[in-house]
């Protein structure tokens, strides 16, 4: 059993929804990234998605694009990210899911890339521009090395395509809640509830919902609609980038705690106020 499957099984036994924060590697720097992984791990994250900065991030909204640009301008390379992970993952409870575009994988070579990220302690992989038709080239070798390749279902996916994606996806199924790029939104699309039920009809694999979730009330809504995981990206990236690194780490610690509290309960009165800020050093 993979680390991701084991995590979902444990949460499922407790009827608990997973929280999966996203941050961008190298923003503001890799030392802060390592500290952020540890902070999120201690403050409610069940898994953590780590974005590899890329020069042409088609699926990313302005907040994550800006973070990737800053990281690249500071010279962040995949080798440095993996070296940082190798020193950090042994102390983490949360499995790490790498978010990267397909071109860097092809450039490096699939087997070499998978071997390197496995050695760095990575448990999962999300490739937003990988079409289903090309996924086989990556799915089998990833499975053989113990890495879950999670595929994305879009709001526009046909029933037949949803079924094919659900059959192939590993670890969980990533439901994109909106048409377009990542980013913070003030309201969740009500169609997410329908899509969750549609996917449930064809698979018993866990379903994570991402893109557009920016606050505790939205996370709670997605959980109540039946999601097994809530994935939050831009709101974490924005908080980590504001102020000093210490201020950013404190901000994501508090935010992570609030989100986890929101999806642990269906009580609408819960979590209406932010938890007190906690110093994380």
């Amino acid at each position: 059993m993979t680390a991701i499957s084991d995590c979902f099984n444990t949460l499922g036994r407790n009827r608990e929804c997973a929280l999966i924060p996203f941050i961008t590697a190298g923003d503001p720097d890799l030392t802060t990234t390592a500290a952020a992984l540890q902070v999120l791990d201690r403050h409610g994250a069940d898994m953590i998605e780590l974005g590899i900065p890329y020069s042409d991030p088609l699926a990313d909204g302005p907040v994550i694009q800006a973070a990737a640009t800053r990281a690249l301008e500071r010279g962040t390379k995949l080798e440095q990210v993996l070296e940082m992970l190798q020193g950090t993952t042994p102390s983490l409870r949360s499995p790490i899911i790498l978010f990267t575009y397909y071109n860097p994988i092809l450039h490096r070579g699939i087997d070499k890339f998978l071997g390197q990220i496995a050695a760095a302690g990575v448990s999962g992989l999300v490739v937003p521009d990988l079409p289903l038709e090309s996924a086989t080239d990556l799915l089998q070798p990833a499975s053989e090395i113990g890495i879950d390749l999670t595929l994305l279902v879009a709001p526009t996916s046909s029933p037949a395509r949803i079924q094919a994606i659900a059959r192939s996806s590993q670890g969980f199924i990533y439901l994109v809640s909106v048409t377009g790029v990542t980013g913070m939104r003030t309201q969740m699309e009500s169609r997410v509830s329908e899509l969750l039920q549609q996917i449930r009809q064809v698979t018993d694999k866990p379903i994570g919902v991402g893109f557009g979730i920016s606050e505790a009330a939205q996370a709670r809504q997605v959980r109540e609609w039946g999601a097994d995981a809530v994935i939050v990206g831009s709101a974490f990236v924005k908080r980590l980038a504001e102020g000093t690194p210490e201020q950013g780490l404190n901000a994501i610690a508090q935010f992570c705690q609030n989100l986890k509290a929101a999806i642990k309960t269906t009580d609408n009165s819960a979590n209406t106020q932010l938890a007190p800020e906690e110093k994380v050093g």
Side-chain angles (χ1 to χ4, degrees), residues 214-221 255 258-259 262-263 271:
S214 62
E215 57 187 49
Q218 293 170 332
R220 183 165 54 241
Q221 178 68 81
F255 186 50
N258 290 342
L259 288 174
I263 62 176
N271 201 46

Side-chain angles (χ1 to χ4, degrees), residues 111-169:
D111 290 338
K112 181 179 180 181
F113 174 83
L114 291 172
Q116 288 178 328
I117 68 172
V122 171
S123 300
L125 187 61
V126 173
V127 185
D129 60 342
L130 176 66
L132 176 62
E133 292 74 18
S134 303
T136 305
D137 294 339
L138 195 53
L139 279 164
Q140 184 173 345
S143 179
E144 290 173 354
I145 205 167
I147 290 175
D148 285 327
L149 175 62
T150 295
L151 304 181
L152 288 80
V153 169
T156 54
S157 298
S158 68
R161 193 167 185 82
I162 288 174
Q163 188 168 8
I165 291 169
R167 185 167 52 246
S168 297
S169 189

Side-chain angles (χ1 to χ4, degrees), residues 191-207:
R191 186 156 187 265
V192 172
S193 177
E194 300 170 18
L195 287 165
L196 279 164
Q197 298 313 310
Q198 190 175 350
I199 299 170
R200 286 269 181 249
Q201 292 174 5
V202 298
T203 185
D204 59 358
K205 292 177 182 176
I207 306 168

Side-chain angles (χ1 to χ4, degrees), residues 88-111:
T88 307
T89 52
S91 65
L92 300 179
R93 171 189 53 84
S94 307
I96 298 296
I97 302 167
L98 216 59
F99 182 104
T100 184
Y101 289 86
Y102 197 32
N103 191 55
I105 299 175
L106 289 176
H107 179 74
R108 185 168 296 256
I110 289 174
D111 290 338

Side-chain angles (χ1 to χ4, degrees), residues 4 19-23 33 36-42 44-51 85 92-99 122-124 231 256:
I4 291 172
L19 174 61
I20 308 179
F22 170 101
I23 58 173
T33 300
L37 294 175
Q38 294 166 336
V39 164
L40 294 171
D41 186 59
R42 293 197 305 267
D46 297 293
M47 290 163 260
I48 304 171
E49 198 174 10
L50 181 65
L85 283 173
L92 300 179
R93 171 189 53 84
S94 307
I96 298 296
I97 302 167
L98 216 59
F99 182 104
V122 171
S123 300
I231 305 161
C256 193

